[in-house]
Amino acid sequence: MAQTSTNPVIKSNLADFKVGVDNVIFSVDTQANRLLVLLVKRKDNPFLGSWSLPGTLVRIGESLEDAAYRILAERIRVNNLYLEQLYTFGTLGRDPRESHNSFGVRYLSVSYFALVRLEEAELITHDISTTAWHPVKKVPQLAFDHNQILEYGYQRLRNKLEYSPIAFEVLPEVFTLNDIYQLYSTILGENFADYSNFRARLLKMGILADTGAKVSRGAGRPASLYRFDAEAFAPLKDKPLVFI
Amino acid sequence: MAQTSTNPVIKSNLADFKVGVDNVIFSVDTQANRLLVLLVKRKDNPFLGSWSLPGTLVRIGESLEDAAYRILAERIRVNNLYLEQLYTFGTLGRDPRESHNSFGVRYLSVSYFALVRLEEAELITHDISTTAWHPVKKVPQLAFDHNQILEYGYQRLRNKLEYSPIAFEVLPEVFTLNDIYQLYSTILGENFADYSNFRARLLKMGILADTGAKVSRGAGRPASLYRFDAEAFAPLKDKPLVFI
């Protein structure tokens, strides 16, 4: 960072900021093949009554990450949740409080991203009029620039699905090859890849262990159940890989 | 972002920030096979006289990007430079001004990243005691947490090299396959990949056009000169790819 000037005129040119954190928490309803995002209803101005990403302003003595985990803990109980920093949004006027504040304070948003397993993510409140999973395809107009932040998070999620084994964090412990394909289709869109190519590529990577068990669903032949083989994946972890 | 509380006690709990931008600008000396980073010497406290990443504090009415481009324009002339946001650093006490300031102001750093062609990047000053390219492998102790920011930028650069055609932004217009391999080795380290595999993979992608010309260097056979075929790459742009 930056020259500190001893010239008070230049010093007073510096903008003052409050810093918010906003969390883009995705989950997947694997039954209904829907990608979900956690939204909360605002209880204060500005944007009173609007849906928004769960967020907060950073307090004195609090790190960015602390603030991100704090607001999450107020909304959701989940094991081993790992938040990843997404992007910092600082466009002028992104918060309506900026223009009305005579001190000229700006509001920055540092956004964080996570993908959680729906069954393991328990909402603190069961009042779905204030905290709820929304299908990403049907998200309403959100407060502030949160639709833009969500779009950015969605792009990050797609990239991670293409380049990392993040899908196995939301799949059940054992799954069929078709389950994985459905999950990818839910997030990346139908026809993101040919099924037999996708299946062949995944098997060739050697990161799926056949459990020996099979499952019958509908009229087709029983399908093999696999689990993610973390041990086989370990030596590949730092290698560039493509999963689709 | 965040509930606005009407409770003044809670309001006063919010931290106040100044926001800095710091640029991690890489280049490659393709003659000497060295990865370089642009550093500037601080002319003010804190860390007076230390090398640092080029940075500034964001001014009133200035966006984060504007600030990042402003500080760059004061240091370097380069065509079509595209800065990409890297990461936001907000650890408590990352700036020594924090603890001495009775107002408890925190200093956040939003870092930006770029890779530029050395021949096209003209430093504004030729006083290398204040602004200079440093080999990444021999960077001194930097001001603030800038060594950590640099390390983060270096990791981003390696990822981009693996997953995107960013290498062609710093290679000359025409180059040999060995030139590309050298560039990758310079950034990713020797033996990042077997040369003949790397060569075969690149040619198979179909994004290199053989110019028909050859060049003789040293004792070996003349080597074919290629150029990056942006038209052939266009349909691949949004597909996941691995370059090594």
Side-chain angles (χ1 to χ4, degrees), chain B residues 2-3 19-20 25-26 30 42 50 65 93 110 130 148 155 160 169 174 176 188 215 219 224 228 236 240 243:
Chain B
Q3 287 75 351
V19 174
I25 311 297
F26 289 112
T30 51
R42 286 184 56 78
S50 287
E65 288 75 15
V110 183
T130 61
Q148 187 191 351
Q155 184 57 51
K160 291 187 84 78
E169 292 175 22
V174 297
T176 67
L188 298 180
V215 64
S224 295
F228 178 63
L236 302 174
F243 286 76

Side-chain angles (χ1 to χ4, degrees), chain A:
Chain A
M1 194 178 298
Q3 286 75 351
T4 316
S5 175
T6 49
N7 181 337
V9 176
I10 293 186
K11 262 217 149 171
S12 70
N13 272 347
L14 300 180
D16 293 311
F17 289 87
K18 303 289 186 193
V19 174
V21 295
D22 292 300
N23 294 333
V24 187
I25 311 297
F26 289 112
S27 193
V28 178
D29 178 349
T30 52
Q31 304 296 314
N33 294 325
R34 293 194 307 181
L35 177 63
L36 306 172
V37 62
L38 186 65
L39 298 179
V40 301
K41 194 163 269 181
R42 286 184 57 79
K43 290 183 288 191
D44 296 284
N45 279 313
F47 296 105
L48 174 70
S50 287
W51 288 100
S52 69
L53 300 170
T56 189
L57 292 169
V58 178
R59 295 179 183 167
I60 292 169
E62 190 176 50
S63 73
L64 300 174
E65 288 75 15
D66 286 347
Y69 282 104
R70 168 169 60 81
I71 198 66
L72 208 63
E74 292 171 7
R75 301 294 188 169
I76 193 173
R77 263 187 292 270
V78 59
N79 289 329
N80 307 316
L81 176 62
Y82 169 69
L83 285 170
E84 171 181 312
Q85 196 185 99
L86 190 59
Y87 198 80
T88 295
F89 294 82
T91 306
L92 287 162
R94 62 170 293 281
D95 189 310
R97 286 170 287 194
E98 290 186 19
S99 46
H100 300 303
N101 189 315
S102 57
F103 295 99
V105 173
R106 301 253 299 269
Y107 288 79
L108 211 65
S109 167
V110 183
S111 55
Y112 286 81
F113 161 96
L115 178 62
V116 302
R117 201 173 287 186
L118 193 58
E119 297 73 23
E120 293 177 2
E122 186 191 349
L123 300 186
I124 303 287
T125 171
H126 295 286
D127 179 0
I128 59 164
S129 72
T130 61
T131 304
W133 293 106
H134 287 242
V136 167
K137 286 188 176 164
K138 290 179 186 170
V139 161
Q141 181 67 43
L142 302 177
F144 306 105
D145 49 2
H146 287 192
N147 289 91
Q148 187 192 350
I149 297 176
L150 170 59
E151 182 54 45
Y152 198 93
Y154 186 20
Q155 184 57 51
R156 175 74 61 95
L157 175 63
R158 290 188 293 242
N159 287 344
K160 289 187 85 79
L161 214 64
E162 291 169 356
Y163 291 117
S164 83
I166 193 176
F168 304 107
E169 292 175 21
V170 286
L171 281 167
E173 191 67 23
V174 298
F175 45 78
T176 67
L177 293 172
N178 191 55
D179 290 339
I180 313 178
Y181 186 71
Q182 284 301 327
L183 178 68
Y184 270 78
S185 294
T186 298
I187 299 174
L188 298 179
E190 301 290 337
N191 306 316
F192 74 93
D194 173 74
Y195 176 55
S196 57
N197 286 347
F198 177 75
R199 174 194 160 110
R201 179 188 284 264
L202 267 184
L203 290 176
K204 193 178 163 204
M205 288 173 81
I207 58 172
L208 299 183
D210 192 334
T211 63
K214 287 181 188 290
V215 64
S216 284
R217 289 187 198 142
R221 282 185 301 172
S224 296
L225 284 168
Y226 293 85
R227 61 174 182 78
F228 178 63
D229 188 343
E231 210 169 306
F233 179 69
L236 302 174
K237 198 173 72 67
D238 295 323
K239 299 213 160 104
L241 289 173
V242 168
F243 286 75
I244 72 169

Side-chain angles (χ1 to χ4, degrees), chain B residues 84-122:
Chain B
E84 171 181 312
Q85 197 185 98
L86 190 59
Y87 199 80
T88 296
F89 294 82
T91 306
L92 287 161
R94 61 170 294 281
D95 188 311
R97 285 170 288 192
E98 290 186 20
S99 47
H100 301 302
N101 189 317
S102 56
F103 295 99
V105 174
R106 302 253 299 269
Y107 288 80
L108 211 66
S109 167
V110 183
S111 56
Y112 287 81
F113 161 96
L115 178 62
V116 302
R117 200 173 287 185
L118 194 58
E119 297 73 23
E120 293 177 2
E122 188 191 346

Side-chain angles (χ1 to χ4, degrees), chain B residues 3-244:
Chain B
Q3 287 75 351
T4 316
S5 174
T6 49
N7 180 336
V9 175
I10 293 186
K11 261 218 150 171
S12 69
N13 274 347
L14 301 180
D16 293 310
F17 289 87
K18 302 290 185 192
V19 174
V21 295
D22 292 301
N23 294 333
V24 187
I25 311 297
F26 289 112
S27 193
V28 179
D29 178 349
T30 51
Q31 305 295 314
N33 293 326
R34 293 194 307 181
L35 177 64
L36 306 172
V37 62
L38 186 64
L39 297 178
V40 302
K41 193 163 269 183
R42 286 184 56 78
K43 290 182 289 189
D44 296 284
N45 278 314
F47 297 105
L48 173 70
S50 287
W51 289 100
S52 69
L53 299 171
T56 189
L57 292 170
V58 177
R59 294 180 183 167
I60 292 170
E62 190 177 49
S63 73
L64 300 174
E65 288 75 15
D66 286 348
Y69 282 104
R70 169 169 60 80
I71 198 66
L72 208 63
E74 292 171 8
R75 300 294 187 170
I76 194 172
R77 260 187 293 270
V78 59
N79 289 330
N80 307 316
L81 176 62
Y82 169 69
L83 284 170
E84 171 181 312
Q85 197 185 98
L86 190 59
Y87 199 80
T88 296
F89 294 82
T91 306
L92 287 161
R94 61 170 294 281
D95 188 311
R97 285 170 288 192
E98 290 186 20
S99 47
H100 301 302
N101 189 317
S102 56
F103 295 99
V105 174
R106 302 253 299 269
Y107 288 80
L108 211 66
S109 167
V110 183
S111 56
Y112 287 81
F113 161 96
L115 178 62
V116 302
R117 200 173 287 185
L118 194 58
E119 297 73 23
E120 293 177 2
E122 188 191 346
L123 299 186
I124 304 287
T125 171
H126 295 286
D127 180 359
I128 59 164
S129 73
T130 61
T131 305
W133 293 106
H134 287 242
V136 168
K137 286 188 177 164
K138 291 179 186 168
V139 161
Q141 181 67 43
L142 302 178
F144 306 106
D145 49 4
H146 287 192
N147 289 91
Q148 187 191 351
I149 298 176
L150 170 58
E151 183 53 44
Y152 197 94
Y154 186 21
Q155 184 57 51
R156 174 77 61 95
L157 174 62
R158 289 188 294 242
N159 287 344
K160 291 187 84 78
L161 214 63
E162 291 170 357
Y163 292 117
S164 82
I166 193 175
F168 303 107
E169 292 175 22
V170 286
L171 282 168
E173 190 68 23
V174 297
F175 45 79
T176 67
L177 292 172
N178 191 54
D179 289 339
I180 313 179
Y181 186 71
Q182 284 300 328
L183 177 68
Y184 269 78
S185 295
T186 298
I187 298 175
L188 298 180
E190 300 290 338
N191 306 317
F192 74 93
D194 173 75
Y195 176 56
S196 58
N197 286 348
F198 177 75
R199 174 193 160 111
R201 179 187 284 264
L202 267 185
L203 290 175
K204 193 179 162 204
M205 288 173 81
I207 58 173
L208 299 183
D210 192 334
T211 63
K214 287 180 188 293
V215 64
S216 286
R217 289 186 198 143
R221 279 184 303 172
S224 295
L225 284 167
Y226 293 84
R227 61 174 181 78
F228 178 63
D229 188 343
E231 209 168 311
F233 179 69
L236 302 174
K237 198 172 71 66
D238 295 322
K239 300 214 160 101
L241 289 174
V242 167
F243 286 76
I244 71 169

